[in-house]
Amino acid sequence: MAKYFDVHPENPQRRTISNVADSIRSGALIAYPTDSCFALGCQLGSRSGIDRIRSIRNLDDRHHFTLVCQNFSQLGQFVHVDNDVFRAIKAATPGSYTFILPATKEVPRQLLHPKKKTVGVRIPDHVVTQALLAEIGEPLLSSTLLLPDEEEPMTQGWEIKERLDHVVDAVIDSGDCGTEPTTVIDFSGDGVEIVRRGAGDPARFE
């Protein structure tokens, strides 16, 4: 059964966040809220976590996983960002955007798009997520909690606990969460491509 953590949305309980972080370091797969919608997350190098996310969401090897980063200095360790792209991303973060960029050697091979060698990165504007990232000290490997054959992610922590009780290890609930995934912007090609229109306003990249 999944552990259920009720976390204050504005003042996350430090002890609770520390307990969740310890679970992640021990290999746990969690469901957690972000500034767009709930996501699945695990430790960066967790092969079993990756396999479990693929199984829950029925994903193939072309799916772009996302590294949810605390800040720009962390993000810069895992992707190559030139000056123009840096300015564009800086102006839009923290926020509900995921950016696809060429990965550095710090990114485990199993996370990369098999042909493009790219990975998704984002910096969320969410108090609880930021507290967790600060406690872990590294990005969370994540994917939107969108189940196969469903059009919208689940929005309630208790519902996620009921439905995914035996496939995740913990659920963090800090109140209502949005229903729209992030807007995904691909900077890995010659131009800028809006891959998915979501919670972040795509107009700034058009």
Side-chain angles (χ1 to χ4, degrees):
M1 290 179 60
K3 294 180 180 178
Y4 184 81
F5 295 96
D6 188 7
V7 180
H8 194 282
E10 297 176 4
N11 297 292
Q13 303 92 316
R14 189 166 185 176
R15 185 172 183 176
T16 302
I17 294 297
S18 179
N19 286 340
V20 176
D22 286 344
S23 296
I24 292 169
R25 294 188 192 100
S26 298
L29 175 64
I30 68 167
Y32 71 100
T34 75
D35 51 344
S36 57
C37 59
F38 270 91
L40 295 167
C42 65
Q43 192 172 34
L44 180 59
S46 175
R47 182 177 291 275
S48 66
I50 295 169
D51 292 341
R52 291 168 70 186
I53 292 172
R54 287 192 192 279
S55 176
I56 291 168
R57 293 203 53 202
N58 192 25
L59 301 172
D60 61 27
D61 64 357
R62 295 185 301 277
H63 175 74
H64 270 109
F65 283 97
T66 299
L67 303 182
V68 179
C69 302
Q70 183 184 1
N71 50 39
F72 255 96
S73 62
Q74 195 175 75
L75 182 148
Q77 298 175 42
F78 297 93
V79 289
H80 297 287
V81 187
D82 65 28
N83 289 337
D84 289 340
V85 172
F86 175 86
R87 284 191 291 270
I89 295 176
K90 184 77 170 176
T93 56
S96 301
Y97 297 92
T98 297
F99 304 99
I100 296 173
L101 290 159
T104 68
K105 292 181 179 179
E106 298 295 320
V107 179
R109 182 186 298 178
Q110 63 264 33
L111 301 186
L112 302 179
H113 186 283
K115 292 183 179 179
K116 298 180 179 180
K117 307 305 180 188
T118 50
V119 71
V121 288
R122 68 171 300 222
I123 302 172
D125 186 15
H126 193 277
V127 172
V128 175
T129 310
Q130 281 289 343
L132 184 58
L133 292 170
E135 184 69 25
I136 297 170
E138 65 178 25
L140 261 178
L141 166 61
S142 291
S143 183
T144 302
L145 208 177
L146 182 61
L147 299 180
D149 303 320
E150 295 195 5
E151 294 183 2
E152 290 190 346
M154 287 180 284
T155 61
Q156 304 290 333
W158 62 266
E159 180 189 12
I160 293 168
K161 169 78 164 83
E162 283 189 356
R163 293 190 59 185
L164 302 183
D165 203 23
H166 297 289
V167 292
V168 301
D169 300 304
V171 177
I172 301 176
D173 191 353
S174 61
D176 287 347
C177 199
T179 60
E180 277 194 292
T182 55
T183 292
V184 179
I185 311 295
D186 190 344
F187 280 112
S188 66
D190 293 332
V192 180
E193 180 186 357
I194 300 174
V195 177
R196 180 178 70 196
R197 295 174 185 271
D201 183 3
R204 66 170 68 234
F205 299 103
E206 293 178 316

